[in-house]
Amino acid sequence: MPTTVRSHAKINLGLGIGAPRPDGFHALTTVYQTLEVHDLVTVTARPAGMSAIWLTSNDGRVPTDGRNTAWKMVELALKALGISAEVEIHIEKRLPVQGGLGAGSANAVAALVALEAELGIRSDRGSLPPYEQKTLVGWGTRRGSGGRWLEMAAEVGSDVPLFLIGGAVLGVDRGQEVYPLPDFEPVWCVVATPAVGVSTPQAFRDWDALCASEGLTATASADKLKMLSRAYAMAFAGAIPGGGREDGSSGVLSMGEDLAGPQESALVRTGISRWIQNDFERVVFSQHPSLREIKRLLAASGSPEAAIHASLSGSGSALFGLYLTRGDAEAAQNRVKAAGVESVLTRTLPRADYWGNMLVQKAS
């Protein structure tokens, strides 16, 4: 029987970027956050004398060969486990096909989870996610026995490992080194998906030029990112004692209710909404001024419906706003709709709910 898994999107609550490194990469510090909105990934797998992979999708823009992240992850997993199997993967795209939401990376981890279920590996779902389930209280939390999965995920893509954790996640180095942050209660989220296309390589080239003009060296940026990482960790640990609610509740309510009502969100208590930012905005907005305007519409600064936080996600072109009430989120959605921009209404997804609701249908 096939196994179907929810493949959730992510946003970057904040993103600090360093100067270009000699290896051609950029160091960064970011806070990832998973969202309820998702694709569906269905896997059928059976032991065989020789491994073979087939991939289909309802969206013609999705690669159906070895370029696909889900294909890559399954191929690496079979090799790591020393198992030969025939694997069929189907990706039902529901997420907007826009940059900044990590949709392809999430598909890779969803395929891995489904593959495990299909082959009866790590069948105790309580053992997932495959890392030590410890809350980050300071810099230097070590990864546990799930390190091989994290390393394998990093081979597929820099933002794939975050989906092996879920919830609020601190990402450092190229974003592939990940640590769980204390979760905050769910808040409403509007993800705007403008038709503008943003080239991530070009955004990095523009960032490099900015670093050169401002004299930001690799050493100086390394210090900047280290301080930012510590600030994120301290802000979350200080504002969200114990990493969540004392009763263990995820806080997820029915779609008709407000999540936090009029009271202050734990995300607000972190204080990061006052200083957190996405460095890509400095170069992307100058190339695509319309994105700056969409952020303004999402933020609605100074109004009773103002966002807790609004930002570009990754290098874009997706942008998001976070809101205490559904009414505020719907008002934001109406503002961007009036500007001719499509959007999705969803909520942030804490770690327990990310893993607790990932399996839609499990192989029997």
Side-chain angles (χ1 to χ4, degrees):
M1 181 178 179
T3 298
T4 300
V5 172
R6 292 182 177 90
S7 178
H8 294 278
K10 65 83 181 170
I11 51 176
N12 297 81
L13 296 181
L15 176 59
I17 313 169
R21 305 189 311 200
D23 63 4
F25 291 104
H26 295 73
L28 58 85
T29 294
T30 187
V31 176
Y32 299 112
Q33 173 62 54
T34 48
L35 302 178
E36 284 189 343
V37 64
H38 59 271
D39 291 335
L40 290 175
V41 176
T42 300
V43 171
T44 303
R46 49 195 171 273
M50 182 179 297
S51 291
I53 301 172
W54 297 270
L55 194 149
T56 58
S57 176
N58 66 325
D59 191 318
R61 293 169 291 181
V62 175
T64 56
D65 54 20
R67 295 171 297 162
N68 190 286
T69 54
W71 180 304
K72 291 178 182 178
M73 181 66 93
V74 166
E75 189 172 48
L76 286 172
L78 291 175
K79 290 179 180 177
L81 294 167
I83 295 174
S84 295
E86 294 179 342
V87 182
E88 298 174 21
I89 307 167
H90 180 73
I91 300 174
E92 181 182 326
K93 296 303 293 183
R94 297 182 172 187
L95 297 175
V97 183
Q98 296 285 342
L101 298 179
S105 297
N107 291 167
V109 169
L112 174 63
V113 172
L115 179 71
E116 289 181 330
E118 281 287 291
L119 298 178
I121 302 166
R122 305 175 74 92
S123 58
D124 177 9
R125 289 292 109 185
S127 67
L128 286 172
Y131 71 96
E132 286 190 358
Q133 299 190 25
K134 293 184 178 180
T135 298
L136 178 65
V137 261
W139 182 246
T141 296
R142 67 184 178 87
R143 287 173 291 182
S145 59
R148 69 168 179 169
W149 288 136
L150 289 166
E151 291 170 5
M152 186 174 68
E155 286 186 49
V156 178
S158 294
D159 60 354
V160 177
L162 83 94
F163 292 104
L164 286 169
I165 295 180
V169 181
L170 177 67
V172 297
D173 192 11
R174 292 181 288 107
Q176 89 291 357
E177 187 176 334
V178 287
Y179 303 89
L181 286 167
D183 271 324
F184 55 90
E185 78 278 10
V187 293
W188 292 98
C189 178
V190 174
V191 179
T193 56
V196 173
V198 174
S199 165
T200 299
Q202 184 60 51
F204 272 117
R205 286 192 289 271
D206 293 341
W207 174 257
D208 293 349
L210 181 64
C211 288
S213 67
E214 295 186 350
L216 180 63
T217 65
T219 300
S221 65
D223 292 340
K224 159 196 156 184
L225 295 177
K226 186 175 182 180
M227 291 178 63
L228 186 59
S229 299
R230 290 181 180 274
Y232 285 151
M234 292 173 65
F236 274 77
I240 316 172
R245 301 185 176 195
E246 292 182 0
D247 62 2
S249 169
S250 69
V252 173
L253 305 177
S254 69
M255 286 301 288
E257 300 181 60
D258 290 339
L259 297 174
Q263 72 258 35
E264 187 179 67
S265 165
L267 182 60
V268 175
R269 292 196 299 275
T270 65
I272 63 173
S273 59
R274 295 192 298 271
W275 51 267
I276 193 170
Q277 64 180 13
N278 183 334
D279 280 346
F280 269 128
E281 291 184 0
R282 297 188 63 193
V283 293
V284 171
F285 284 176
S286 62
Q287 296 296 322
H288 305 282
S290 62
L291 299 184
R292 188 194 306 273
E293 175 61 15
I294 296 168
K295 178 182 175 179
R296 187 189 68 79
L297 293 173
L298 289 168
S301 300
S303 79
E305 300 166 338
I308 301 169
H309 179 56
S311 176
L312 189 73
S313 185
S315 61
S317 60
L319 302 101
F320 67 89
L322 302 177
Y323 307 88
L324 285 179
T325 71
R326 179 168 184 158
D328 290 348
E330 289 176 339
Q333 199 171 27
N334 288 334
R335 289 193 296 273
V336 297
K337 181 180 180 180
V341 178
E342 294 186 1
S343 65
V344 175
L345 178 63
T346 183
R347 297 177 292 188
T348 59
L349 189 65
R351 190 168 303 117
D353 297 290
Y354 175 80
W355 287 102
N357 298 307
M358 181 175 280
L359 284 174
V360 178
Q361 179 175 287
K362 183 176 179 179
S364 56

